[in-house]
PDB file of all heavy atoms in Angstrom:
ATOM      1  N   MET I   4      -3.565 -84.708 -22.262  1.00  0.00           N
ATOM      2  CA  MET I   4      -2.917 -83.773 -21.237  1.00  0.00           C
ATOM      3  C   MET I   4      -2.146 -82.740 -22.008  1.00  0.00           C
ATOM      4  O   MET I   4      -1.441 -83.006 -23.017  1.00  0.00           O
ATOM      5  CB  MET I   4      -1.978 -84.624 -20.384  1.00  0.00           C
ATOM      6  CG  MET I   4      -1.245 -83.806 -19.281  1.00  0.00           C
ATOM      7  SD  MET I   4      -0.294 -84.948 -18.308  1.00  0.00           S
ATOM      8  CE  MET I   4       0.360 -83.872 -17.046  1.00  0.00           C
ATOM      9  N   PHE I   6       0.752 -79.728 -21.073  1.00  0.00           N
ATOM     10  CA  PHE I   6       1.638 -79.441 -19.971  1.00  0.00           C
ATOM     11  C   PHE I   6       2.778 -78.528 -20.382  1.00  0.00           C
ATOM     12  O   PHE I   6       3.598 -78.944 -21.238  1.00  0.00           O
ATOM     13  CB  PHE I   6       2.171 -80.754 -19.427  1.00  0.00           C
ATOM     14  CG  PHE I   6       2.868 -80.760 -18.089  1.00  0.00           C
ATOM     15  CD1 PHE I   6       2.741 -79.689 -17.231  1.00  0.00           C
ATOM     16  CD2 PHE I   6       3.691 -81.800 -17.681  1.00  0.00           C
ATOM     17  CE1 PHE I   6       3.369 -79.637 -15.948  1.00  0.00           C
ATOM     18  CE2 PHE I   6       4.319 -81.805 -16.466  1.00  0.00           C
ATOM     19  CZ  PHE I   6       4.148 -80.750 -15.611  1.00  0.00           C
ATOM     20  N   ASN I   7       2.808 -77.335 -19.898  1.00  0.00           N
ATOM     21  CA  ASN I   7       3.983 -76.412 -20.108  1.00  0.00           C
ATOM     22  C   ASN I   7       5.021 -76.867 -19.036  1.00  0.00           C
ATOM     23  O   ASN I   7       4.850 -76.581 -17.880  1.00  0.00           O
ATOM     24  CB  ASN I   7       3.614 -74.992 -19.942  1.00  0.00           C
ATOM     25  CG  ASN I   7       4.753 -74.050 -20.267  1.00  0.00           C
ATOM     26  OD1 ASN I   7       5.926 -74.377 -20.019  1.00  0.00           O
ATOM     27  ND2 ASN I   7       4.474 -72.881 -20.832  1.00  0.00           N
ATOM     28  N   LEU I  23      10.440 -86.132 -12.139  1.00  0.00           N
ATOM     29  CA  LEU I  23       9.256 -85.472 -11.645  1.00  0.00           C
ATOM     30  C   LEU I  23       8.285 -85.207 -12.763  1.00  0.00           C
ATOM     31  O   LEU I  23       7.065 -85.461 -12.646  1.00  0.00           O
ATOM     32  CB  LEU I  23       9.633 -84.211 -10.863  1.00  0.00           C
ATOM     33  CG  LEU I  23       8.422 -83.316 -10.457  1.00  0.00           C
ATOM     34  CD1 LEU I  23       7.548 -84.052  -9.465  1.00  0.00           C
ATOM     35  CD2 LEU I  23       8.916 -82.007  -9.894  1.00  0.00           C
ATOM     36  N   ILE I  24       8.772 -84.582 -13.848  1.00  0.00           N
ATOM     37  CA  ILE I  24       7.892 -84.245 -14.968  1.00  0.00           C
ATOM     38  C   ILE I  24       7.264 -85.491 -15.571  1.00  0.00           C
ATOM     39  O   ILE I  24       6.065 -85.522 -15.833  1.00  0.00           O
ATOM     40  CB  ILE I  24       8.644 -83.457 -16.013  1.00  0.00           C
ATOM     41  CG1 ILE I  24       9.236 -82.115 -15.439  1.00  0.00           C
ATOM     42  CG2 ILE I  24       7.735 -83.134 -17.187  1.00  0.00           C
ATOM     43  CD1 ILE I  24       8.212 -81.181 -14.879  1.00  0.00           C
ATOM     44  N   ASP I  30       1.308 -90.430 -13.907  1.00  0.00           N
ATOM     45  CA  ASP I  30       0.341 -90.627 -12.854  1.00  0.00           C
ATOM     46  C   ASP I  30      -1.100 -90.274 -13.303  1.00  0.00           C
ATOM     47  O   ASP I  30      -2.062 -90.702 -12.692  1.00  0.00           O
ATOM     48  CB  ASP I  30       0.710 -89.802 -11.622  1.00  0.00           C
ATOM     49  CG  ASP I  30       1.880 -90.427 -10.870  1.00  0.00           C
ATOM     50  OD1 ASP I  30       2.275 -91.581 -11.194  1.00  0.00           O
ATOM     51  OD2 ASP I  30       2.375 -89.754  -9.909  1.00  0.00           O
ATOM     52  N   GLY I  32      -2.208 -91.066 -16.236  1.00  0.00           N
ATOM     53  CA  GLY I  32      -2.672 -92.113 -17.205  1.00  0.00           C
ATOM     54  C   GLY I  32      -2.942 -91.535 -18.594  1.00  0.00           C
ATOM     55  O   GLY I  32      -3.710 -92.132 -19.396  1.00  0.00           O
ATOM     56  N   MET I  41      10.021 -76.874 -24.542  1.00  0.00           N
ATOM     57  CA  MET I  41      10.930 -78.026 -24.521  1.00  0.00           C
ATOM     58  C   MET I  41      12.169 -77.688 -25.397  1.00  0.00           C
ATOM     59  O   MET I  41      12.102 -77.092 -26.454  1.00  0.00           O
ATOM     60  CB  MET I  41      10.207 -79.201 -25.148  1.00  0.00           C
ATOM     61  CG  MET I  41       8.955 -79.648 -24.389  1.00  0.00           C
ATOM     62  SD  MET I  41       9.380 -80.386 -22.819  1.00  0.00           S
ATOM     63  CE  MET I  41       9.966 -82.026 -23.384  1.00  0.00           C
ATOM     64  N   LYS I  45      21.188 -80.894 -29.749  1.00  0.00           N
ATOM     65  CA  LYS I  45      22.096 -81.723 -30.553  1.00  0.00           C
ATOM     66  C   LYS I  45      23.504 -81.663 -29.995  1.00  0.00           C
ATOM     67  O   LYS I  45      23.718 -80.999 -28.958  1.00  0.00           O
ATOM     68  CB  LYS I  45      22.032 -81.288 -32.010  1.00  0.00           C
ATOM     69  CG  LYS I  45      20.629 -81.327 -32.585  1.00  0.00           C
ATOM     70  CD  LYS I  45      20.551 -80.627 -33.967  1.00  0.00           C
ATOM     71  CE  LYS I  45      19.086 -80.461 -34.422  1.00  0.00           C
ATOM     72  NZ  LYS I  45      19.014 -79.690 -35.675  1.00  0.00           N
ATOM     73  N   THR I  54      12.028 -84.094 -25.255  1.00  0.00           N
ATOM     74  CA  THR I  54      10.831 -84.824 -25.620  1.00  0.00           C
ATOM     75  C   THR I  54      11.096 -86.323 -25.673  1.00  0.00           C
ATOM     76  O   THR I  54      10.298 -87.119 -25.237  1.00  0.00           O
ATOM     77  CB  THR I  54      10.325 -84.320 -26.984  1.00  0.00           C
ATOM     78  OG1 THR I  54      10.144 -82.935 -26.958  1.00  0.00           O
ATOM     79  CG2 THR I  54       9.021 -85.027 -27.376  1.00  0.00           C
ATOM     80  N   ILE I  56      13.404 -87.922 -23.987  1.00  0.00           N
ATOM     81  CA  ILE I  56      13.596 -88.374 -22.630  1.00  0.00           C
ATOM     82  C   ILE I  56      12.274 -88.646 -21.954  1.00  0.00           C
ATOM     83  O   ILE I  56      12.032 -89.693 -21.317  1.00  0.00           O
ATOM     84  CB  ILE I  56      14.434 -87.320 -21.791  1.00  0.00           C
ATOM     85  CG1 ILE I  56      15.867 -87.323 -22.340  1.00  0.00           C
ATOM     86  CG2 ILE I  56      14.404 -87.692 -20.321  1.00  0.00           C
ATOM     87  CD1 ILE I  56      16.716 -86.245 -21.701  1.00  0.00           C
ATOM     88  N   LEU I  57      11.310 -87.684 -22.064  1.00  0.00           N
ATOM     89  CA  LEU I  57      10.015 -87.878 -21.424  1.00  0.00           C
ATOM     90  C   LEU I  57       9.251 -89.070 -22.088  1.00  0.00           C
ATOM     91  O   LEU I  57       8.537 -89.769 -21.429  1.00  0.00           O
ATOM     92  CB  LEU I  57       9.178 -86.634 -21.495  1.00  0.00           C
ATOM     93  CG  LEU I  57       9.695 -85.451 -20.673  1.00  0.00           C
ATOM     94  CD1 LEU I  57       8.741 -84.249 -20.732  1.00  0.00           C
ATOM     95  CD2 LEU I  57       9.977 -85.849 -19.194  1.00  0.00           C
ATOM     96  N   SER I  86       3.051 -89.773 -27.323  1.00  0.00           N
ATOM     97  CA  SER I  86       1.796 -90.501 -27.585  1.00  0.00           C
ATOM     98  C   SER I  86       1.878 -91.959 -27.448  1.00  0.00           C
ATOM     99  O   SER I  86       2.913 -92.564 -27.822  1.00  0.00           O
ATOM    100  CB  SER I  86       1.350 -90.151 -29.030  1.00  0.00           C
ATOM    101  OG  SER I  86       0.188 -90.941 -29.463  1.00  0.00           O
ATOM    102  N   THR I  95       5.990 -79.145 -38.396  1.00  0.00           N
ATOM    103  CA  THR I  95       6.171 -77.923 -37.646  1.00  0.00           C
ATOM    104  C   THR I  95       5.728 -76.730 -38.452  1.00  0.00           C
ATOM    105  O   THR I  95       6.160 -76.477 -39.538  1.00  0.00           O
ATOM    106  CB  THR I  95       7.689 -77.701 -37.224  1.00  0.00           C
ATOM    107  OG1 THR I  95       8.088 -78.873 -36.476  1.00  0.00           O
ATOM    108  CG2 THR I  95       7.851 -76.422 -36.402  1.00  0.00           C
ATOM    109  N   VAL I 115       3.289 -74.054 -34.207  1.00  0.00           N
ATOM    110  CA  VAL I 115       2.258 -75.039 -33.956  1.00  0.00           C
ATOM    111  C   VAL I 115       2.783 -76.400 -34.373  1.00  0.00           C
ATOM    112  O   VAL I 115       3.306 -76.567 -35.484  1.00  0.00           O
ATOM    113  CB  VAL I 115       0.949 -74.696 -34.684  1.00  0.00           C
ATOM    114  CG1 VAL I 115      -0.057 -75.820 -34.448  1.00  0.00           C
ATOM    115  CG2 VAL I 115       0.425 -73.387 -34.273  1.00  0.00           C
ATOM    116  N   HIS I 130       1.825 -72.851 -28.519  1.00  0.00           N
ATOM    117  CA  HIS I 130       2.266 -71.970 -27.433  1.00  0.00           C
ATOM    118  C   HIS I 130       2.244 -70.540 -27.943  1.00  0.00           C
ATOM    119  O   HIS I 130       3.087 -70.158 -28.768  1.00  0.00           O
ATOM    120  CB  HIS I 130       3.667 -72.334 -26.931  1.00  0.00           C
ATOM    121  CG  HIS I 130       4.125 -71.644 -25.703  1.00  0.00           C
ATOM    122  ND1 HIS I 130       5.434 -71.704 -25.217  1.00  0.00           N
ATOM    123  CD2 HIS I 130       3.426 -70.863 -24.812  1.00  0.00           C
ATOM    124  CE1 HIS I 130       5.522 -71.016 -24.129  1.00  0.00           C
ATOM    125  NE2 HIS I 130       4.293 -70.495 -23.900  1.00  0.00           N
ATOM    126  N   LEU I 146      -6.439 -71.563 -37.096  1.00  0.00           N
ATOM    127  CA  LEU I 146      -7.664 -71.726 -37.904  1.00  0.00           C
ATOM    128  C   LEU I 146      -7.365 -72.278 -39.319  1.00  0.00           C
ATOM    129  O   LEU I 146      -8.203 -72.988 -39.872  1.00  0.00           O
ATOM    130  CB  LEU I 146      -8.355 -70.362 -38.029  1.00  0.00           C
ATOM    131  CG  LEU I 146      -8.951 -69.802 -36.755  1.00  0.00           C
ATOM    132  CD1 LEU I 146      -9.471 -68.387 -36.992  1.00  0.00           C
ATOM    133  CD2 LEU I 146     -10.065 -70.667 -36.198  1.00  0.00           C
ATOM    134  N   PHE I 160      -1.851 -70.876 -24.099  1.00  0.00           N
ATOM    135  CA  PHE I 160      -2.349 -69.827 -24.998  1.00  0.00           C
ATOM    136  C   PHE I 160      -1.971 -68.446 -24.477  1.00  0.00           C
ATOM    137  O   PHE I 160      -2.145 -67.418 -25.208  1.00  0.00           O
ATOM    138  CB  PHE I 160      -3.820 -69.941 -25.168  1.00  0.00           C
ATOM    139  CG  PHE I 160      -4.309 -71.056 -25.999  1.00  0.00           C
ATOM    140  CD1 PHE I 160      -4.059 -72.387 -25.670  1.00  0.00           C
ATOM    141  CD2 PHE I 160      -5.014 -70.832 -27.150  1.00  0.00           C
ATOM    142  CE1 PHE I 160      -4.514 -73.406 -26.451  1.00  0.00           C
ATOM    143  CE2 PHE I 160      -5.466 -71.901 -27.944  1.00  0.00           C
ATOM    144  CZ  PHE I 160      -5.202 -73.176 -27.622  1.00  0.00           C
ATOM    145  N   VAL I 162      -3.426 -66.398 -22.772  1.00  0.00           N
ATOM    146  CA  VAL I 162      -4.593 -65.505 -22.678  1.00  0.00           C
ATOM    147  C   VAL I 162      -5.565 -66.096 -21.710  1.00  0.00           C
ATOM    148  O   VAL I 162      -5.709 -67.344 -21.583  1.00  0.00           O
ATOM    149  CB  VAL I 162      -5.234 -65.233 -24.007  1.00  0.00           C
ATOM    150  CG1 VAL I 162      -4.275 -64.525 -24.943  1.00  0.00           C
ATOM    151  CG2 VAL I 162      -5.751 -66.501 -24.688  1.00  0.00           C
ATOM    152  N   ASN I 166     -10.735 -63.366 -23.019  1.00  0.00           N
ATOM    153  CA  ASN I 166     -10.082 -62.685 -24.148  1.00  0.00           C
ATOM    154  C   ASN I 166     -10.805 -63.091 -25.436  1.00  0.00           C
ATOM    155  O   ASN I 166     -10.840 -64.227 -25.741  1.00  0.00           O
ATOM    156  CB  ASN I 166      -8.608 -63.085 -24.212  1.00  0.00           C
ATOM    157  CG  ASN I 166      -7.847 -62.147 -25.122  1.00  0.00           C
ATOM    158  OD1 ASN I 166      -8.295 -61.833 -26.248  1.00  0.00           O
ATOM    159  ND2 ASN I 166      -6.634 -61.757 -24.662  1.00  0.00           N
ATOM    160  N   GLU I 185     -14.120 -74.837 -15.569  1.00  0.00           N
ATOM    161  CA  GLU I 185     -14.160 -73.526 -16.211  1.00  0.00           C
ATOM    162  C   GLU I 185     -13.421 -72.505 -15.346  1.00  0.00           C
ATOM    163  O   GLU I 185     -13.726 -72.328 -14.168  1.00  0.00           O
ATOM    164  CB  GLU I 185     -15.596 -73.069 -16.493  1.00  0.00           C
ATOM    165  CG  GLU I 185     -15.702 -71.789 -17.199  1.00  0.00           C
ATOM    166  CD  GLU I 185     -17.148 -71.358 -17.486  1.00  0.00           C
ATOM    167  OE1 GLU I 185     -18.078 -72.105 -17.020  1.00  0.00           O
ATOM    168  OE2 GLU I 185     -17.317 -70.355 -18.156  1.00  0.00           O
ATOM    169  N   VAL I 210     -16.792 -84.703 -24.590  1.00  0.00           N
ATOM    170  CA  VAL I 210     -15.979 -84.482 -23.427  1.00  0.00           C
ATOM    171  C   VAL I 210     -16.554 -85.160 -22.238  1.00  0.00           C
ATOM    172  O   VAL I 210     -17.648 -84.795 -21.762  1.00  0.00           O
ATOM    173  CB  VAL I 210     -15.749 -82.977 -23.147  1.00  0.00           C
ATOM    174  CG1 VAL I 210     -14.785 -82.764 -21.958  1.00  0.00           C
ATOM    175  CG2 VAL I 210     -15.189 -82.254 -24.348  1.00  0.00           C
ATOM    176  N   GLU I 214     -10.119 -81.565 -15.963  1.00  0.00           N
ATOM    177  CA  GLU I 214      -9.608 -81.008 -14.706  1.00  0.00           C
ATOM    178  C   GLU I 214      -8.311 -80.335 -14.905  1.00  0.00           C
ATOM    179  O   GLU I 214      -7.634 -80.582 -15.878  1.00  0.00           O
ATOM    180  CB  GLU I 214      -9.514 -82.066 -13.624  1.00  0.00           C
ATOM    181  CG  GLU I 214      -8.391 -83.089 -13.849  1.00  0.00           C
ATOM    182  CD  GLU I 214      -8.161 -84.034 -12.701  1.00  0.00           C
ATOM    183  OE1 GLU I 214      -8.736 -83.800 -11.683  1.00  0.00           O
ATOM    184  OE2 GLU I 214      -7.384 -84.995 -12.858  1.00  0.00           O
ATOM    185  N   SER I 217      -3.702 -80.795  -9.570  1.00  0.00           N
ATOM    186  CA  SER I 217      -3.282 -80.115  -8.317  1.00  0.00           C
ATOM    187  C   SER I 217      -1.791 -80.254  -8.074  1.00  0.00           C
ATOM    188  O   SER I 217      -1.248 -79.745  -7.095  1.00  0.00           O
ATOM    189  CB  SER I 217      -4.064 -80.633  -7.156  1.00  0.00           C
ATOM    190  OG  SER I 217      -3.831 -82.002  -6.966  1.00  0.00           O
TER     191      SER I 217
END
Side-chain angles (χ1 to χ4, degrees):
M4 181 177 184
F6 193 17
N7 184 327
L23 173 63
I24 300 299
D30 285 352
M41 300 289 286
K45 303 169 186 176
T54 305
I56 290 172
L57 293 186
S86 171
T95 302
V115 176
H130 187 190
L146 293 174
F160 287 61
V162 296
N166 195 316
E185 183 178 5
V210 182
E214 68 173 350
S217 62

